[in-house]
Amino acid sequence: MFSKFAFALLVLSSLVTAHYTLPSLIAGGNVETQWLYVRKTNNFNSQAPVTDVTSNDLRCYNSETHATASTLTVSAGSTIGFQANGPMYHQGFVNVYMAKAPGNVSQWDGSGKVWFKVHEIPVATDGGNTITFPATNIQSFTFNLPSSLPSGQYLIRAEQVGLHSASTFGGAQFFLSCGQLNVVNGGNGNPGPLVSIPGVYTGNEPGLLINIYWPIPATWTQPGPSVWRG
């Protein structure tokens, strides 16, 4: 007989595996150890997303763990990325932000109007016939840091935003984490535009309050500022 206890374990297991985290940086083609260079997020066990865009947890999601991490040294212009602990299967998009620490990044929380976007993977639409999600069912992504990125220590923050429940306010689900970088061989670029997190979103953006099923959206507007490419 299938016991109530076994059923409860099955339900708990399905809840734990229902979402995902972003625990690993990728640098030089290497997937780094989970939570080594990424601050352990509150959901490292539950894998529950952030849904309140006004919460400080939208920044690095470590209000309970109070975690910092080791700092990974990389060169400006090099390839960097994130790997999730499983396929990011919710339909959605990716944004990646960075913020330059005023000193030791391990002692900084990333508050203030200091964040700029360095990468995005948008949703694709074709006038209302189809909608596709290149950031869905992938486990990792990489991109090149701008070669003119100034040297220094940075937080790098990735978010994969699930839109499957985004037809109501607060339904968008943010799966996110912050890594720590020491950028060397940098340039003299001026990253921007700068935004605060939280503060960058209201939750009413057309890319966050959206029914992705019907009618099929004819256009797509990526939430957040434009990408700084150096």
Side-chain angles (χ1 to χ4, degrees), residues 207-227:
L208 292 179
L209 184 56
I210 183 173
N211 186 334
I212 61 174
Y213 302 108
W214 189 260
I216 296 172
T219 61
W220 170 257
T221 302
Q222 185 82 355
S226 57
V227 174

Side-chain angles (χ1 to χ4, degrees), residues 52-157:
D52 181 359
V53 298
T54 69
S55 169
N56 281 336
D57 274 334
L58 190 71
R59 188 181 304 145
C60 290
Y61 205 2
N62 63 341
S63 62
E64 297 173 5
T65 64
H66 304 291
T68 61
S70 298
T71 302
L72 178 65
T73 297
V74 297
S75 290
S78 64
T79 301
I80 194 76
F82 280 80
Q83 178 160 299
N85 65 337
M88 297 182 288
Y89 63 87
H90 286 312
Q91 301 103 314
F93 63 90
V94 162
N95 281 330
V96 182
Y97 294 85
M98 293 183 70
K100 193 174 189 294
N104 187 339
V105 68
S106 295
Q107 300 173 5
W108 189 52
D109 67 355
S111 58
K113 199 171 183 179
V114 293
W115 295 89
F116 55 98
K117 191 192 288 187
V118 290
H119 184 63
E120 63 185 20
I121 307 176
V123 173
T125 59
D126 63 357
N129 294 312
T130 62
I131 183 169
T132 56
F133 303 91
T136 298
N137 288 322
I138 61 173
Q139 188 169 351
S140 63
F141 58 88
T142 60
F143 64 97
N144 290 331
L145 292 172
S147 58
S148 61
L149 182 69
S151 297
Q153 297 198 359
Y154 289 82
L155 286 173
I156 181 168
R157 174 191 173 279

